[in-house]
Amino acid sequence: MMFPLLFIFPALQYSSSVYSFDHSHCSTKTGVSVYKGGDMVVAAFFPLHTIVYDSITEDPSSDSLYHQLNIKNYQILLAMVFAIEEINMNPHLLPNVSLGYDIYNVLYSEWLTLDRCITWLSGKKYISNYNCRKEMKSVAVLSGVSWITSAQIGTLLGLYKYPQLTIGSFDTNLNNHDQFPNLYQMAPKDTSLASGIVLLLNYFRWNWVGLIVSEGQKGVQIISDLRAEMDRNKICIDFVEMIPVSKVSFFAQKQLNPTRVLKSSANVIITYGDSDFLRGFLSYLKQTLVTGKVWIMNSEWNDINHSKHFILQSLHGSLIFSHHHKELSGFRNFTQTLHPSKYPEDFYLQRFWFYFFNCSFADNDCTTVENCVPNVSLHDSPNNHFDKVMTEYAYNTYNAVYAVAHGLHEMLLHQAEVKLLRKAEELMFSAWQLHPFLKDKQFTNHAGEQVNLNEKMKLNAEYDILNYWNFPEGLGLKVKVGQFSPYGPLGQQLSLSEDMIEWATGITETPQSICSESCSPGFRKSLPEGNVACCFDCTLCPENEISNETDADQCVKCLDHQYANTDRNHCLQKSTTFLDYDDPLGIGLSCIALYFSALSALVLGIFLKQQDTPIVKANNRTLSYILLITLNCCFLCSFLFIGHPNTTTCILQQTTFGMLFTVAVSTILAKTITVILAYKVTAPGRRIRWLLVTRAPNFIVPICTFIQIILCGVWLGKSPPFIDTDAHSEREHIIILCNKGSVTAFYCVLGYLGALALGSFTVAFLARNLPDTFNEAKFLTFSMLVFCSVWVTFLPVYHSTKGKVMVAVEVFSILASSAGLLGCIFAPKCYIILFRPQMNSIQGLRNKIHYRYKA
């Protein structure tokens, strides 16, 4: 879209960075360019005016275009003049050669930009392909600050091979030497900007941001760089808005969707683009109140608060990444001593005095101002309209002028050596001849910083971090609060004075910008399907796992000798434990073992005292003694399982248990066989009396025990039991216990014992109805039934328990089965001995037999 060159200007309105012309003759009259002659001239095309699309009423139909002088960009013009004056006064640089300047204002429109270029090339009254100038002294062209402006000018100047130096931010669009072979960029590279922004986000722990960038290759590149850095640092982007650069200065409000910004849960919004992009974007914001947001910008902007709808408080507390550069001490003094009388060719300076210092024009030519406030300077403008600190674009302009001067100086020396020419008037050359001397130009400027035109050797930029203060309203200060240097040591690249930062209006502490609240220690991040990495749920760590940091991705399992505390944020040391005598379970089992051991000893004592009575003699009293002694040992062997395990107790536990119970069961088997043999002997016609007389059943005990001894010997020889620890059965304890060594050997021992017990039970069951004076066959059957029941129940219970409970189950089974044998076999006999002594006599025995036969 094209715009006419003439606009209807509104009444005078001005602010901290721009002002509008009124309708007076002189206030609207401007020259084609700010020109000062010299032996050689440096031309420049800068956006000194800005077109702003604005609305001054509530009625959208009243929208209008404002033509405004950009005072911040006017500083670029002054930097160029300052540099040229320094060079002209320097006897060591371009001696006997004076530099002049020819500075044109360009608007952000392709048609208007080319109009200014053709005017410069051809003269005021230009005809295509004709030069109406009497002489053309321009040796180089400066352009900026927008890359689009530089590209438009570069396309035209490429036809004439004029050296073009751009003062805007380094842009890869201008890095195409096939398209722009004559273009040099003064700004350092912005390769590290994404790293600096992400470091700032990390510093404040912001991981949920919005992104608004200019459309085009540069915008795509910064999105790619930011995404890469953010992915590495687990920062997520809520939304991305790309605004067409070619229209942003005019119609920014028609390109951005305000809903995305206003409704976004991200409290930090990153904007990226050149100063024209940012200015147009901020023009849009005047229609929208955005509160509680922190804006991070890559360039300084031009304040615009002339519209009653503009809410600049939305930007209070913004953070700006501005190229770091040292101050040029002479520039402040230069701007402080500026006066229209010293620079009559600068009509912009005259109008500045006219508006801010109550001057009037002395004649109709509008070249002289008079009746001004005396003893004033740019620094005395109301509300600090003029920025006393040199901006990065002005600094690049200063360096660009010096680059041209150094190139010219070197070229002239070269020509003087070749042609032996002495007078400047005799030095004739074309502008394209300057390229070889600019291509790899390096020099140190007056601030002591290195300037390099070779893009391959350009360093990454360092940045000052500025904080925008606009409270109270209209303050408009940019305060340096930090710095980012990609060359700093790791962890020290970003320095920030957080206490100096003023945040957005209404925010009293550092704002937060997160999608999900941080997961506290003891929890881990869990990402629902379809969510970005920053929008997560917090899940409690599993049992015996911890997370001791905020926002842990995974929980860490505690070591075997540790356990997680209840908050699951710390691993505690497990204490060792075992089935001890101090343990309630150990005390109970010990008391039971002692009780039954004493009881078995008492029964043994009773039997020894009554050894000559019929009930003791019945069914082989020797086997009864062996069984009682064995049961007593069985009760006592339970103490091998209680107390701190050691190598000896571990070896004795299972082997002693196996052999003692083998003796006990085999004794019961021998007693059962004795009952059967006794019945067979008394039956008529039987000839097996010798088996009973020779006490053959007594050999069953040593034979069965010997087999078990062999099994235990093999067990101890191959893989004996040993001390072991169990760190998993109990959450807070490591249990010290005996490992059985060979599980196969253990179950062989147990299996043999089970087979022996099953055999004894079977034989006793078959002999239960045989006639017996004291009915011992039935007692043996019942005792084996109890014994087998205990151990059949033991197996599943034993395998379902862990730790010291498992040991307690085994001890209990030993005591229960031993007590079952003791009670079922010997309790009835002790009852007769103690309470029915008449039955334990020869006469009582005869009466019992008599009653049985009579029945």
Side-chain angles (χ1 to χ4, degrees):
M1 179 180 292
M2 294 185 182
F3 294 91
L5 290 174
L6 298 177
F7 297 92
I8 299 176
F9 297 102
L12 172 63
Q13 298 175 357
Y14 59 86
S15 71
S16 61
S17 62
V18 292
Y19 65 83
S20 299
F21 298 116
D22 64 11
H23 293 287
S24 68
H25 170 68
C26 287
S27 65
T28 58
K29 183 178 179 180
T30 60
V32 175
S33 67
V34 177
Y35 179 83
K36 185 175 183 178
D39 296 328
M40 299 175 186
V41 176
V42 179
F45 296 90
F46 300 138
L48 301 175
H49 288 172
T50 304
I51 294 178
V52 179
Y53 184 80
D54 194 15
S55 174
I56 59 174
T57 68
E58 299 295 336
D59 183 8
S61 63
S62 65
D63 291 350
S64 58
L65 290 172
Y66 282 79
H67 191 182
Q68 297 178 326
L69 175 63
N70 188 324
I71 294 180
K72 180 186 171 194
N73 284 359
Y74 177 63
Q75 192 195 72
I76 300 173
L77 182 152
L78 297 180
M80 182 174 178
V81 174
F82 171 64
I84 288 175
E85 286 193 357
E86 272 193 346
I87 293 167
N88 288 337
M89 291 186 294
N90 188 344
H92 304 292
L93 184 61
L94 292 177
N96 301 322
V97 177
S98 64
L99 281 183
Y101 48 82
D102 193 6
I103 305 172
Y104 288 80
N105 172 45
V106 293
L107 294 176
Y108 204 12
S109 164
E110 184 175 3
W111 187 86
L112 295 174
T113 300
L114 295 178
D115 173 77
R116 294 291 188 269
C117 289
I118 295 172
T119 300
W120 168 69
L121 287 168
S122 303
K124 295 181 181 180
K125 303 291 185 181
Y126 65 82
I127 303 174
S128 180
N129 296 324
Y130 287 88
N131 188 348
C132 300
R133 289 180 181 269
K134 293 182 179 180
E135 58 179 346
M136 187 66 167
K137 296 183 178 181
S138 295
V139 293
V141 174
L142 276 56
S143 65
V145 293
S146 167
W147 77 268
I148 292 183
T149 301
S150 297
Q152 292 167 352
I153 295 172
T155 302
L156 178 61
L157 295 185
L159 301 173
Y160 302 92
K161 297 185 178 180
Y162 268 98
Q164 180 186 359
L165 293 83
T166 66
I167 64 168
S169 299
F170 191 90
D171 198 301
T172 53
N173 291 295
L174 303 176
N175 216 22
N176 188 339
H177 294 292
D178 294 330
Q179 187 177 0
F180 305 108
N182 309 307
L183 188 146
Y184 307 90
Q185 300 193 63
M186 299 305 302
K189 292 183 178 180
D190 281 326
T191 311
S192 61
L193 178 61
S195 298
I197 292 175
V198 170
L199 276 178
L200 181 67
L201 297 176
N202 277 335
Y203 181 90
F204 291 110
R205 297 183 179 179
W206 294 330
N207 64 5
W208 188 236
V209 299
L211 191 57
I212 301 173
V213 302
S214 57
E215 197 175 66
Q217 180 181 348
K218 194 171 181 180
V220 172
Q221 183 63 46
I222 193 63
I223 290 176
S224 175
D225 293 344
L226 281 172
R227 283 192 185 276
E229 287 291 331
M230 289 178 178
D231 287 345
R232 282 193 289 269
N233 291 272
K234 300 177 182 178
I235 299 173
C236 305
I237 299 175
D238 181 27
F239 67 87
V240 177
E241 286 280 353
M242 299 189 71
I243 303 176
V245 180
S246 59
K247 297 180 181 179
V248 67
S249 287
F250 301 114
F251 304 110
Q253 68 272 36
K254 294 190 177 181
Q255 303 298 333
L256 183 65
N257 180 4
T259 305
R260 299 290 298 276
V261 178
L262 295 174
K263 293 188 175 181
S264 172
S265 58
N267 292 326
V268 174
I269 300 176
I270 301 170
T271 62
Y272 181 87
D274 58 25
S275 61
D276 284 316
F277 160 78
L278 291 175
R279 187 173 187 278
F281 167 68
L282 296 179
S283 296
Y284 155 77
L285 281 183
K286 65 175 174 254
Q287 304 293 343
T288 307
L289 176 61
V290 181
T291 59
K293 304 290 185 184
V294 176
W295 301 86
I296 298 178
M297 301 182 176
N298 73 301
S299 176
E300 298 183 51
W301 66 84
N302 307 312
D303 308 333
I304 311 166
N305 55 4
H306 65 277
S307 172
K308 66 179 182 180
H309 296 298
F310 188 67
I311 309 297
L312 204 57
Q313 282 81 355
S314 297
L315 302 175
H316 176 69
S318 298
L319 298 171
I320 308 163
F321 277 79
S322 177
H323 285 170
H324 171 76
H325 59 81
K326 294 181 180 178
E327 290 298 321
L328 293 166
S329 58
F331 183 70
R332 181 183 289 266
N333 183 61
F334 169 76
T335 56
Q336 195 166 12
T337 58
L338 274 175
H339 193 274
S341 61
K342 294 177 62 177
Y343 300 92
E345 72 278 1
D346 188 353
F347 47 83
Y348 296 110
L349 186 60
Q350 295 173 11
R351 278 144 188 80
F352 191 96
W353 245 255
F354 174 78
Y355 284 114
F356 291 112
F357 301 127
N358 301 321
C359 300
S360 61
F361 288 98
D363 50 38
N364 290 332
D365 291 337
C366 305
T367 57
T368 307
V369 291
E370 61 182 8
N371 301 324
C372 303
V373 176
N375 301 321
V376 291
S377 69
L378 286 174
H379 296 187
D380 299 319
S381 58
N383 296 325
N384 297 316
H385 289 79
F386 184 81
D387 195 348
K388 302 177 184 66
V389 179
M390 179 178 276
T391 65
E392 60 183 86
Y393 298 135
Y395 186 76
N396 292 341
T397 302
Y398 177 87
N399 289 334
V401 173
Y402 265 91
V404 173
H406 283 288
L408 281 172
H409 185 83
E410 187 176 346
M411 185 182 69
L412 294 177
L413 287 176
H414 177 74
Q415 286 194 353
E417 291 175 359
V418 174
K419 298 181 180 180
L420 300 177
L421 298 177
R422 296 176 180 270
K423 296 182 180 179
E425 293 79 9
E426 298 175 357
L427 298 176
M428 302 297 293
F429 64 91
S430 298
W432 62 266
Q433 293 178 281
L434 188 58
H435 285 296
F437 302 95
L438 286 177
K439 185 176 181 181
D440 298 316
K441 178 56 60 183
Q442 297 183 60
F443 63 93
T444 302
N445 65 15
H446 287 177
E449 293 188 320
Q450 188 76 17
V451 180
N452 196 331
L453 267 65
N454 186 337
E455 63 186 46
K456 294 182 180 179
M457 299 180 66
K458 278 186 179 292
L459 299 176
N460 288 325
E462 297 183 5
Y463 298 91
D464 290 331
I465 301 175
L466 309 179
N467 185 217
Y468 180 68
W469 294 0
N470 197 53
F471 186 83
E473 183 177 358
L475 181 62
L477 291 180
K478 300 182 185 77
V479 180
K480 181 179 177 180
V481 295
Q483 186 171 336
F484 167 72
S485 172
Y487 306 106
L490 189 65
Q492 301 178 25
Q493 295 175 324
L494 179 72
S495 60
L496 209 61
S497 299
E498 189 176 352
D499 56 337
M500 292 180 61
I501 298 177
E502 291 282 341
W503 297 113
T505 305
I507 299 177
T508 57
E509 56 185 18
T510 303
Q512 298 294 315
S513 186
I514 55 177
C515 181
S516 298
E517 291 293 334
S518 295
C519 292
S520 58
F523 292 82
R524 66 174 179 85
K525 294 193 294 186
S526 176
L527 190 64
E529 186 176 354
N531 281 22
V532 293
C534 301
C535 301
F536 49 81
D537 296 330
C538 294
T539 304
L540 184 67
C541 286
E543 182 70 26
N544 211 41
E545 292 187 14
I546 66 160
S547 64
N548 55 6
E549 60 183 15
T550 303
D551 288 338
D553 292 319
Q554 297 293 335
C555 297
V556 179
K557 192 175 182 64
C558 291
L559 299 177
D560 287 345
H561 63 276
Q562 296 175 328
Y563 69 97
N565 61 353
T566 53
D567 293 332
R568 300 188 185 179
N569 58 8
H570 186 64
C571 286
L572 302 177
Q573 197 73 18
K574 288 184 177 181
S575 59
T576 57
T577 186
F578 47 87
L579 187 60
D580 197 7
Y581 292 106
D582 295 333
D583 191 283
L585 198 57
I587 294 174
L589 293 175
S590 298
C591 292
I592 294 173
L594 289 173
Y595 171 76
F596 280 107
S597 176
L599 187 61
S600 61
L602 178 62
V603 172
L604 178 60
I606 293 172
F607 268 57
L608 289 173
K609 186 176 181 179
Q610 303 291 330
Q611 58 182 334
D612 295 325
T613 59
I615 198 168
V616 174
K617 289 182 178 180
N619 202 359
N620 199 329
R621 62 183 172 186
T622 302
L623 292 177
S624 297
Y625 295 156
I626 292 172
L627 182 56
L628 283 171
I629 294 171
T630 303
L631 289 177
N632 192 12
C633 292
C634 286
F635 290 126
L636 295 176
C637 84
S638 61
F639 288 103
L640 294 173
F641 294 86
I642 303 173
H644 194 294
N646 54 59
T647 304
T648 304
T649 56
C650 286
I651 292 174
L652 292 177
Q653 277 181 7
Q654 305 301 335
T655 53
T656 303
F657 153 73
M659 286 189 291
L660 286 176
F661 272 91
T662 298
V663 173
V665 173
S666 60
T667 302
I668 293 173
L669 177 61
K671 289 175 73 67
T672 305
I673 292 175
T674 299
V675 171
I676 295 174
L677 289 176
Y679 173 75
K680 296 296 184 180
V681 168
T682 57
R686 299 293 182 181
R687 298 182 179 181
I688 56 174
R689 178 180 175 83
W690 66 273
L691 289 174
L692 191 60
V693 173
T694 58
R695 301 180 181 273
N698 291 353
F699 292 101
I700 294 175
V701 176
I703 293 172
C704 293
T705 303
F706 181 73
I707 295 173
Q708 186 69 288
I709 290 173
I710 293 175
L711 291 176
C712 289
V714 173
W715 182 5
L716 295 178
K718 294 293 183 181
S719 180
F722 56 90
I723 300 175
D724 198 4
T725 57
D726 177 8
H728 306 288
S729 298
E730 293 189 14
R731 179 172 170 269
E732 300 180 9
H733 300 99
I734 297 176
I735 301 171
I736 302 176
L737 44 73
C738 293
N739 189 302
K740 295 176 178 60
S742 173
V743 178
T744 303
F746 170 73
Y747 282 107
C748 286
V749 170
L750 204 61
Y752 173 72
L753 181 59
L756 196 60
L758 185 61
S760 299
F761 172 72
T762 302
V763 173
F765 180 78
L766 294 175
R768 70 189 186 282
N769 291 324
L770 292 178
D772 184 13
T773 304
F774 296 104
N775 205 18
E776 190 167 48
K778 290 185 178 181
F779 296 150
L780 294 173
T781 302
F782 189 65
S783 67
M784 290 311 301
L785 178 63
V786 172
F787 182 88
C788 291
S789 299
V790 169
W791 289 105
V792 168
T793 305
F794 160 80
L795 290 174
V797 175
Y798 182 78
H799 287 288
S800 64
T801 55
K802 294 181 179 180
K804 63 182 181 181
V805 178
M806 177 184 287
V807 179
V809 167
E810 187 171 1
V811 172
F812 181 80
S813 298
I814 292 171
L815 295 177
S817 57
S818 301
L821 295 179
L822 179 64
C824 294
I825 296 175
F826 295 101
K829 295 182 179 182
C830 289
Y831 175 77
I832 293 174
I833 293 172
L834 297 176
F835 301 107
R836 301 291 294 274
Q838 66 276 10
M839 295 181 62
N840 190 21
S841 60
I842 300 298
Q843 185 61 40
L845 184 60
R846 289 175 180 173
N847 292 337
K848 185 175 181 180
I849 295 173
H850 174 74
Y851 290 138
R852 180 190 304 164
Y853 284 126
K854 187 176 181 180

